[in-house]
Amino acid sequence: MLFVSCCLALAAQQPSPGPLTSGDALRLLKEGNERYRTSHLTHPHQSAERRIQVSAEQHPFAQVLACSDSRVPPEIIFDQGLGDIFVVRVAGNTVDDLVQGSLEYGAAHLKVPLIVVLGHRRCGAVSALVHAEEVHDHIVSLMAAIFPSVLATRGQPGDPVENVVRANVVRSVDMLRNSWPTLYALLESGKIQIVGAIYDLETGTVEWLERSK
């Protein structure tokens, strides 16, 4: 009886048949963020049964390139669980070969239909660069990756840090959309979408910048 009960529990948590579209994936993330923002978390897919279910293989429905900031954990702010999101995190949510390779794996091999570049307000990496704080060692490489967004926003009205945060997300989205050949081809064929978003540390709200390519 115990074996039968376990099997029934696993079957109940199986995803619905048929692959999700990028629109489906975006909707799930938006709904999850709304639950998080309003403190109605459901904490899905965090049971022992789910852990067993995804131990053999994974089928995440979205990829998120996020900042390493400890206040921006994608699984929490989107109210998701084990096996739901393929996450790549690097300070400043910047794009390099390793990031591109990771996201290519998710898109091409795991067939994930949606990539989200998730920046956040009050980003420490951006603030350090905007305010010309002294940095050393490998942090210099991180600052160099963000610097084009500083140049792109010079002279713009408003908060310079917030301007760079937004421009940096847009730049990362553009780099991924033009990542040849894998992501570019998948985007052009309509198999994936790549979108940008910005997370507010105080309200918990994710602002979606765009969806279409």
Side-chain angles (χ1 to χ4, degrees):
M1 290 297 295
L2 179 59
F3 174 78
V4 172
S5 298
C6 289
C7 289
L8 290 174
L10 287 173
Q13 296 192 44
Q14 290 291 336
S16 58
L20 291 178
T21 66
S22 59
D24 295 330
L26 186 60
R27 174 181 54 81
L28 289 175
L29 292 182
K30 287 182 175 181
E31 291 174 352
N33 179 245
E34 180 65 12
R35 294 193 300 271
Y36 169 75
R37 185 187 68 80
T38 58
S39 298
H40 291 92
L41 294 163
T42 60
H43 303 289
H45 294 162
Q46 297 180 27
S47 64
E49 289 82 8
R50 176 65 171 183
R51 185 173 68 240
I52 295 170
Q53 178 187 342
V54 299
S55 63
E57 57 183 12
Q58 59 173 323
H59 300 284
F61 67 83
Q63 297 193 86
V64 177
L65 167 58
C67 182
S68 300
D69 194 298
S70 62
R71 301 165 293 179
V72 193
E75 290 88 349
I76 293 179
I77 68 175
F78 290 120
D79 192 27
Q80 302 300 324
L82 295 173
D84 291 331
I85 307 178
F86 192 87
V87 178
V88 179
R89 300 187 69 175
V90 59
N93 43 272
T94 56
V95 174
D96 61 11
D97 286 344
L98 294 175
V99 168
Q100 290 183 70
S102 297
L103 296 173
E104 284 178 7
Y105 175 78
H109 295 275
L110 299 179
K111 310 299 182 184
V112 184
L114 178 69
I115 297 175
V116 178
V117 178
L118 180 65
H120 67 94
R121 293 189 167 87
R122 300 182 184 177
C123 179
V126 170
S127 180
L129 186 57
V130 169
H131 297 300
E133 297 178 14
E134 186 175 359
V135 297
H136 303 280
D137 304 322
H138 296 292
I139 300 177
V140 174
S141 298
L142 174 62
M143 296 296 103
I146 301 174
F147 189 66
S149 298
V150 176
L151 293 178
T153 57
R154 279 184 174 173
Q156 289 185 359
D159 187 301
V161 173
E162 299 307 310
N163 290 343
V164 175
V165 165
R166 184 174 295 264
N168 191 49
V169 169
V170 172
R171 173 177 163 79
S172 291
V173 168
D174 288 342
M175 291 178 69
L176 293 174
R177 288 177 174 175
N178 291 286
S179 178
W180 182 266
T182 302
L183 295 183
Y184 180 86
L186 290 171
L187 184 67
E188 287 298 301
S189 66
K191 293 181 179 179
I192 67 169
Q193 286 290 339
I194 305 174
V195 302
I198 297 176
Y199 174 68
D200 190 299
L201 296 173
E202 291 186 359
T203 67
T205 301
V206 173
E207 174 192 356
W208 298 93
L209 301 187
E210 57 181 330
R211 183 184 173 194
S212 61
K213 55 179 180 172

